[in-house]
């Protein structure tokens, strides 16, 4: 994309309001699809305040967005009025300006556009979008109505989830004029419904292409999940009215009815469940009822091990989450021990991270110990990276506890990068050098900037690295190896002399000459390199 200027903040806000009030959301959605598929070939902002763009459609169309009077905006496509090509250029400008096109698009879709409702006049809605009388406070009918209108849309999602974006938009339009708190819960229901539709579309993808679809679908649903988390964080159980509490109870029932132990899933549904219970956990009545329900399901699964119910991993994991929230970490760890490690390890990481942020090292050791025992046999788990990061952070905070570094060392060679970087951060240069020697890392294989810094901070740590690398090059017994040895010796010479250790350098060279006196080719390279004269 080529660009010359950027719009000032006042012009940009005016353009955003004009776009939001003039272009229908369905057209914005198609324009956003064009932008995501890189159909916007160029964007130019002229000094007068107009945006010029080229969009590749059936042919290449020229678009002009007038920021002073949006009504004068034009596009060379055959469509009359405002079109998807204009929307695509609008999002393309956002990307150029270093802002998030996804963010402004989602804000418009969820109804939080920049349009001032009072100044833009009454909102008009199709009769099909209006809420059915009597359903505003009846959560059970919310899902029934969604399913009646959109229950088969997931079948259209063969290669993309874009049809579901329109479904979510339609669902949100139903409650657009409701009370804010009840609308929030309706939108949460709608997001869960659309995510379940995405799961259905994902389940029918062929095995050969499943990884591709997983990446593409997950990218599409990520904003929906993020909005669900944002809406959930706004819940305040202590201030809820009866209709709100009924809607929350229905949300919980949706999780109860769903097969949470499903093997091939597009999303981490347990994270959606935990986000909700993170807000509800302080309500004793709700928590007690949920624990009773989970325990009954856990007992049922233990009595029928082959059951496909929730007892597989979800029930003990959910009970562990509630125990953790009640500061019963030992009980939580014991419950997670009854599950498959890979399915619940990320929850353990979340719990460990919270204890680390609280600097509760006694409880943190329990969680890190649990993760370590699981990672010993399941190192490819997604928890491996967070585990190493938490050990490093804990060691920085509690430097007198040797356990944290022991955990890092125990996973060598897989933890080499993390441990090497950690010892540099801790200024433990001798341990860092020993690690490089252990793995046979030569100075020429290291970052040049790192070698320069080490030459100033801890030159003594570099001496054995050079010595080992020089010996290894000589042992190759060929002319190329000897030249590499001389090259390393020239760097080592500078290091010794910079530290005023010329005598040690001379003794080292004499030792090399005596030890390898029979290697004439080496002697010749030493002469050529002026190591010896």
């Amino acid at each position: 994309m080529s660009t010359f200027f950027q719009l000032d903040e006042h012009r940009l806000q005016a353009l955003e309001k004009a776009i939001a009030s003039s272009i229908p959301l369905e057209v914005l959605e198609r324009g956003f699809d064009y932008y995501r598929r890189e159909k916007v070939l160029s964007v130019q902002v002229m000094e007068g305040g107009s945006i010029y763009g080229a969009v590749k459609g059936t042919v290449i169309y020229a678009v002009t967005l007038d920021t002073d009077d949006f009504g004068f905006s034009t596009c060379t496509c055959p469509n009359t009025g405002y079109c998807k090509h204009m929307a695509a250029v609008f999002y393309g400008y956002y990307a150029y300006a270093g802002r998030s096109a996804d963010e402004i698009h989602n804000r418009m879709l969820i109804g939080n556009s920049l349009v001032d409702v009072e100044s833009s006049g009454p909102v008009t809605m199709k009769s099909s979008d209006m809420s059915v009388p009597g359903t505003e406070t009846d959560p059970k009918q919310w899902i029934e109505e969604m399913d009646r209108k959109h229950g088969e849309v997931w079948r259209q999602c063969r290669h993309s989830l874009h049809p579901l974006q329109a479904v979510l938009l339609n669902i949100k339009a139903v409650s657009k004029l409701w009370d804010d708190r009840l609308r929030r819960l309706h939108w949460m229901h709608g997001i869960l419904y659309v995510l379940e539709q995405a799961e259905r579309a994902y389940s029918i993808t062929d095995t050969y292409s499943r990884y591709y679809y997983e990446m593409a679908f997950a990218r599409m649903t990520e904003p929906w999940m993020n909005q669900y988390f944002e809406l959930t964080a706004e819940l305040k159980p202590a201030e809820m009215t009866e209709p709100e509490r009924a809607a929350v109870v229905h949300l919980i029932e949706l999780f109860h009815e769903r097969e949470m132990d499903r093997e091939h899933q597009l999303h981490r549904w347990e994270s959606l469940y935990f986000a909700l219970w993170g807000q509800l956990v302080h309500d004793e009545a709700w928590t007690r009822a949920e624990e009773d329900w989970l325990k009954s399901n856990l007992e049922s699964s233990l009595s029928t091990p082959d059951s496909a119910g929730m007892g597989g991993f979800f029930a003990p994991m959910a009970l562990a989450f509630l125990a953790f929230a009640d500061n019963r970490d030992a009980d939580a760890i014991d419950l997670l021990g009854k599950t498959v490690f890979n399915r619940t390890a990320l929850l353990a990481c979340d719990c460990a991270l919270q204890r680390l942020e609280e600097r509760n090292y006694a409880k943190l050791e329990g969680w890190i110990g649990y993760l370590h025992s699981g990672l010993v046999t399941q190192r490819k788990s997604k928890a491996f990276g967070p585990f190493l990061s938490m050990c490093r952070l804990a060691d920085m905070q509690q430097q007198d506890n040797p356990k944290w570094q022991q955990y890092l060392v125990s996973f060598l060679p897989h933890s080499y990068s993390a441990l090497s970087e950690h010892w540099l951060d801790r200024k433990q240069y001798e341990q860092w050098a020993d690690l490089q020697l252990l793995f046979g890392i030569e100075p020429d294989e290291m970052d040049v900037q790192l070698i320069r810094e080490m030459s100033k901070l801890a030159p003594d740590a570099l001496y054995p690295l050079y010595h080992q690398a020089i010996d290894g090059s000589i042992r190759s017994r060929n002319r190329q190896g000897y030249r590499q040895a001389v090259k390393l010796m020239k760097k080592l010479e500078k290091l010794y002399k910079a530290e005023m250790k010329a005598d040690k350098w001379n003794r080292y060279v004499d030792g090399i000459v005596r030890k390898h006196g029979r290697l004439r080719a080496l002697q010749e390279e030493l002469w050529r390199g002026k190591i010896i004269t």
Side-chain angles (χ1 to χ4, degrees):
M1 261 178 214
S2 58
T3 54
F4 298 104
F5 302 98
Q6 288 193 37
L7 298 177
D8 59 49
E9 197 62 29
H10 176 74
R11 285 182 180 275
L12 181 60
Q13 290 182 6
L15 177 62
E16 291 171 356
K17 289 183 179 181
I19 292 282
S21 60
S22 303
I23 301 183
L25 292 179
E26 295 83 359
V27 178
L28 282 175
E29 176 65 26
R30 291 196 292 272
F32 186 69
D33 180 51
Y34 262 46
Y35 158 73
R36 289 287 291 269
R37 289 194 288 153
E38 300 181 353
K39 297 282 190 178
V40 181
L41 303 181
S42 67
V43 170
Q44 296 180 351
V45 181
M46 306 310 289
E47 193 171 6
S50 294
I51 300 176
Y52 296 90
V55 181
K56 184 178 180 181
T58 308
V59 296
I60 295 178
Y61 300 113
V63 176
T64 302
L65 301 182
D66 192 318
T67 61
D68 293 323
D69 188 342
F70 190 68
F72 289 104
S73 299
T74 61
C75 178
T76 58
C77 73
N79 297 325
T80 58
Y82 304 115
C83 63
K84 60 188 175 185
H85 309 111
M86 293 181 178
V89 170
F90 170 69
Y91 292 124
Y93 170 76
Y94 250 85
Y96 153 67
R99 304 183 181 223
S100 173
D102 296 78
E103 180 182 350
I104 184 63
H105 179 62
N106 288 327
R107 283 163 56 194
M108 290 182 173
L109 288 180
I110 66 176
N112 291 337
S113 63
L114 299 173
V115 183
D116 186 345
V117 175
E118 294 181 2
S119 62
S120 61
V123 179
T124 59
M125 299 175 64
K126 297 178 182 180
S127 59
S128 60
D129 292 336
M130 298 298 290
S131 57
V132 177
T135 63
E136 183 171 336
T137 57
D138 190 352
K140 293 182 179 180
Q141 292 190 30
W142 293 351
I143 296 296
E144 292 176 2
E145 185 67 13
M146 294 174 197
D147 205 44
R148 185 183 65 81
K149 289 183 177 180
H150 315 292
E152 299 298 317
V153 174
W154 64 272
R155 299 184 185 278
Q156 303 173 22
C157 303
R158 295 183 179 275
H159 305 290
S160 170
L161 295 182
H162 277 87
L164 292 180
Q165 182 69 74
V167 170
L168 185 58
L169 176 62
N170 187 280
I171 290 172
K172 289 176 177 178
V174 170
S175 56
K176 193 170 185 178
L177 303 180
W178 291 8
D179 173 74
D180 288 346
R181 295 185 296 181
L182 202 58
R183 180 178 66 228
R184 179 187 305 121
L185 288 162
H186 181 263
W187 285 5
M188 290 172 65
H189 277 76
I191 293 171
L192 290 181
Y193 177 80
V194 172
L195 290 175
E196 185 59 59
Q197 294 279 301
E199 291 285 356
R200 293 185 184 181
Y202 175 68
S203 66
I204 63 172
T205 58
D206 62 276
T207 306
Y208 180 78
S209 305
R210 181 156 291 170
Y211 177 77
Y212 163 77
Y213 284 111
E214 181 179 351
M215 296 298 102
F217 286 6
R219 182 181 179 184
M220 182 71 182
T221 60
E222 184 179 0
W224 306 344
M225 294 189 68
N226 288 340
Q227 192 197 5
Y228 173 89
F229 293 137
E230 292 171 2
L231 294 172
T232 304
E234 297 172 1
L235 294 178
K236 297 178 181 179
E239 302 175 7
M240 286 184 180
T241 61
E242 283 304 316
E244 288 180 85
R245 294 183 72 87
V248 171
V249 169
H250 190 254
L251 273 176
I252 297 172
E253 291 175 355
L254 291 179
F255 287 108
H256 288 179
E257 294 169 1
R258 191 180 189 280
E259 186 188 344
M260 299 292 283
D261 284 334
R262 197 180 302 171
E263 281 294 328
H264 300 290
Q265 298 192 92
L266 182 61
H267 311 100
R268 285 186 61 203
W269 281 80
E270 63 272 15
S271 67
L272 301 170
Y273 172 86
F274 293 145
L276 177 62
W277 274 102
Q279 300 298 112
L280 306 180
V281 72
H282 301 297
D283 189 300
E284 186 176 350
W286 262 335
T287 304
R288 189 178 304 162
E290 186 68 6
E291 285 185 339
D292 292 341
W293 185 88
L294 290 167
K295 286 177 181 178
S296 66
N297 276 269
L298 180 59
E299 293 173 0
S300 175
S301 67
L302 292 176
S303 62
T304 55
D306 296 331
S307 173
M310 291 190 177
F313 80 93
F314 176 73
M317 182 169 62
L319 285 169
F321 175 82
L322 296 178
F324 170 79
D326 196 32
N327 291 313
R328 293 182 286 114
D329 292 52
D331 293 341
I333 293 172
D334 182 61
L335 284 163
L336 291 185
K338 299 176 181 178
T339 66
V340 177
F341 178 77
N342 277 341
R343 299 299 295 270
T344 57
L346 291 179
L347 173 62
C349 286
D350 293 341
C351 296
L353 182 60
Q354 184 168 329
R355 295 304 182 225
L356 178 60
E357 291 173 349
E358 296 169 357
R359 302 201 176 211
N360 190 334
Y361 300 114
K363 290 184 176 180
L364 175 62
E365 286 187 15
W367 287 107
I368 293 295
Y370 167 76
L371 288 169
H372 178 266
S373 63
L375 290 170
V376 167
T377 56
Q378 301 287 338
R379 190 189 56 78
K380 292 185 178 181
S381 168
K382 293 180 180 179
F384 186 66
F387 171 82
L388 297 179
S389 299
M390 286 188 289
C391 287
R392 289 182 58 187
L393 185 56
D395 189 56
M396 295 294 288
Q397 294 178 0
Q398 196 184 30
Q399 298 187 9
D400 58 342
N401 188 344
K403 285 186 176 181
W404 310 122
Q405 289 197 21
Q406 290 171 6
Y407 283 128
L408 291 170
V409 172
S410 69
F411 279 109
L412 287 173
H414 309 294
S415 60
Y416 163 78
S417 296
L419 186 58
S420 181
E421 185 178 344
H422 180 66
W423 273 335
L424 286 174
D425 291 341
R426 283 286 310 269
K427 296 181 170 55
Q428 295 179 250
Y429 299 124
E430 291 184 4
Q431 290 91 330
W432 173 84
D434 289 342
L435 184 62
Q436 313 312 310
L437 290 171
L438 175 64
F439 285 90
I441 307 299
E442 298 185 1
D444 278 3
E445 298 172 349
M446 300 178 187
D447 182 68
V448 175
Q449 185 61 33
L450 173 61
I451 294 296
R452 289 175 182 171
E453 292 177 2
M454 291 295 293
S455 299
K456 299 175 183 177
L457 297 173
D460 290 345
L462 291 177
Y463 295 146
L465 297 180
Y466 277 106
H467 292 170
Q468 178 174 275
I470 291 167
D471 289 342
S473 296
I474 293 174
R475 283 197 301 271
S476 66
R477 293 295 191 270
N478 58 57
R479 182 75 67 168
Q480 184 178 357
Y482 299 152
R483 289 173 181 168
Q484 176 65 14
V486 171
K487 179 182 176 182
L488 292 169
M489 291 178 74
K490 294 291 287 185
K491 294 180 179 180
L492 182 59
E493 179 183 11
K494 292 181 181 178
L495 194 61
Y496 270 117
K497 291 184 177 180
E499 292 295 307
M500 304 299 179
K501 296 180 179 179
D503 291 340
K504 287 188 175 181
W505 165 249
N506 291 331
R507 289 196 298 271
Y508 174 72
V509 172
D510 291 342
I512 291 290
V513 172
R514 288 195 304 270
K515 182 178 179 181
H516 303 291
R518 288 184 166 185
L519 302 178
R520 293 185 179 181
L522 174 61
Q523 300 295 326
E524 290 176 6
E525 295 298 331
L526 292 174
W527 278 98
R528 288 178 181 176
K530 298 183 180 180
I531 300 295
I532 57 177
T533 56

